[in-house]
Structure formats: structure tokens, C-alpha cells
Amino acid sequence: QVRLVQSGPEVKRPGASMKLSCKASGYNFIAYYIHWVRQAPGRGLEWMGWINPKSGGTHYAEKFQGRLILTGDTSITTGYMQLNGLMFDDTAVYFCAREAMGPTTSGSDYWGQGTLVTVSS
Amino acid sequence: SYELTQPPSVSVSPGQTARVTCSGDALPDQFAYWYQQKPGQAPVLLIYKDNERPSGIPERFSGSSSGTTVTLTISGVQAEDEGDYYCQSADSTGSYRVFGGGTKLTVL
């Protein structure tokens, strides 16, 4: 079955970097985008960016340009999200989700369980 | 930056019909998607491409589109439908995604 399993919770200091992982299984990894979405405590969903694991191509939301890096390792079917220059308001649950590429897309039909990241001094 | 606008809250009694709207300038040109989220859980896809329902999603959930507004309709609302609902779409280029602010559905 399709699964997206994310890495465990993290506590970071302001100014630090974090790199989260999203291990995919049960489907053709290179046929689906990996999106990253975050949700601050008590707030709504915020789209951060996506990566095409086959080409390595990426698109980032404007507010994360310059400090967000999405990568993928097709050999181990895992996506990674690196966020640099962490600030207190980066405290959030971070989700990965897959989306089929091309006209057959049906939205983000599978999601990871989420990773809680706390930025604290 | 592109924005999608949803009402913060909608309240309905069990068995009634709930409608959640989502407005955005690019919606005539870009598909909309709807997600349900319950506390402590990942979002669940309810509707894709404006009005298509994934397998396993109850028929009481439906989507429609008219101009710059898309609507999620929940017919015969049940207590278990309580939660937060988010629309998602893309900007005019199709490359950048955005979520609406979310609508909290309360079943009275």
C-alpha cells in the first residue's frame, strides 16, 4: 500500500537549519511530485513547495525562496525538505504529500503523518 | 501573492446541507481541490479537479465551480463531518499552489 513516512520531531535553535525526510513506498516514486505543507499551531495549511523527483525540478512559495531546499533520492525513494535560518514562527507541523504528475493528477491523495518542529531558544 | 478566500466558519444541524465557498481570481483557469482535516491528523483529499470524488469518499461530499468561486457541498451532514476544510488551487501559471485559510465546520 502507499505510504509516506516522515522523520521524527525536532527541536531547533533560532538561526539553525533543519532537514526532514519523507520515505515513500508502495508506488512509482518518480511518477509523483512531493509537496511540502506546514501548519503552525492553531493555524491553517501553508504550501511550501514541490519537487519532481524524476527531474529534480522544484518550485518554492515566494516566502520561502532563498532558505528552502527540496531534494529527492530516487535510489531510496525519499524526499527531503531543508529549511535554513529558522525563526520562532517556523514552529509547525510539516507534512509531505504526493501528487500524480500530468493530466491524470488527482490532487494530494496521500500524506505523511507530519513532523513537529519546535524552534526555541 | 495569490490568495484563496474561505469563510472562517460554517455551522449546520445534522442532516442539513453545508456549503463552503472558496474564491480566487485564477479559479476559472485552475482546478480546485478540497481537503478535510481533523485535529491532530493529516489532511484527507475530498474532491479533486473541482468536482471529482476519490474512491472511498462518501457521496454526500460534492464540489462545483462557477467563475471565480468553487463550492464544497456536504449533503446530509453528520456529526463526524465536523472539522476544518481547506480549498487548494494553483496560481495562473499553474506552478505555485495555495491553500485557502480554512473553514471550520461545526455540526450543531
Side-chain angles (χ1 to χ4, degrees):
Chain A
Q1 74 280 25
V2 174
R3 295 191 71 195
L4 296 172
V5 179
Q6 298 184 232
S7 48
E10 300 198 12
V11 179
K12 295 290 185 180
R13 300 293 190 200
S17 296
M18 67 173 179
K19 188 172 184 177
L20 308 183
S21 66
C22 174
K23 168 66 177 175
S25 61
Y27 71 95
N28 183 4
F29 183 66
I30 61 173
Y32 290 77
Y33 298 113
I34 295 288
H35 293 269
W36 289 86
V37 175
R38 75 178 186 179
Q39 186 169 37
R43 306 294 296 274
L45 301 174
E46 181 176 32
W47 180 78
M48 300 179 70
W50 58 254
I51 181 169
N52 177 334
K54 183 176 183 179
S55 68
T58 56
H59 275 88
Y60 303 137
E62 187 175 347
K63 72 175 287 186
F64 298 107
Q65 295 272 0
R67 68 184 190 110
L68 176 63
I69 302 171
L70 301 183
T71 55
D73 187 335
T74 57
S75 68
I76 55 172
T77 65
T78 298
Y80 299 95
M81 188 276 289
Q82 179 174 329
L83 190 62
N84 300 321
L86 290 171
M87 299 172 282
F88 292 118
D89 61 4
D90 289 319
T91 294
V93 175
Y94 289 77
F95 295 100
C96 63
R98 76 166 195 175
E99 180 190 359
M101 298 179 195
T104 59
T105 184
S106 57
S108 292
D109 56 354
Y110 282 89
W111 292 65
Q113 82 276 18
T115 296
L116 174 62
V117 175
T118 303
V119 181
S120 173
S121 56
Chain B
S1 60
Y2 183 51
E3 293 184 354
L4 296 174
T5 301
Q6 299 181 233
S9 62
V10 168
S11 300
V12 294
S13 299
Q16 290 191 326
T17 295
R19 292 180 179 85
V20 182
T21 59
C22 172
S23 300
D25 290 341
L27 286 175
D29 304 313
Q30 300 293 339
F31 285 123
Y33 302 79
W34 288 94
Y35 299 88
Q36 177 194 64
Q37 188 183 33
K38 297 186 179 182
Q41 298 182 17
V44 172
L45 178 68
L46 292 177
I47 298 290
Y48 66 97
K49 290 184 176 178
D50 292 347
N51 55 24
E52 300 289 336
R53 195 172 48 249
S55 60
I57 299 301
E59 291 183 7
R60 65 179 182 275
F61 292 96
S62 63
S64 61
S65 176
S66 178
T68 59
T69 298
V70 293
T71 302
L72 172 70
T73 300
I74 311 172
S75 305
V77 167
Q78 301 180 5
E80 67 196 50
D81 298 331
E82 207 167 69
D84 296 321
Y85 292 81
Y86 295 91
C87 62
Q88 184 195 33
S89 187
D91 72 342
S92 57
T93 71
S95 294
Y96 300 91
R97 309 302 167 82
V98 63
F99 285 96
T103 298
K104 182 175 182 60
L105 175 69
T106 299
V107 181
L108 301 171

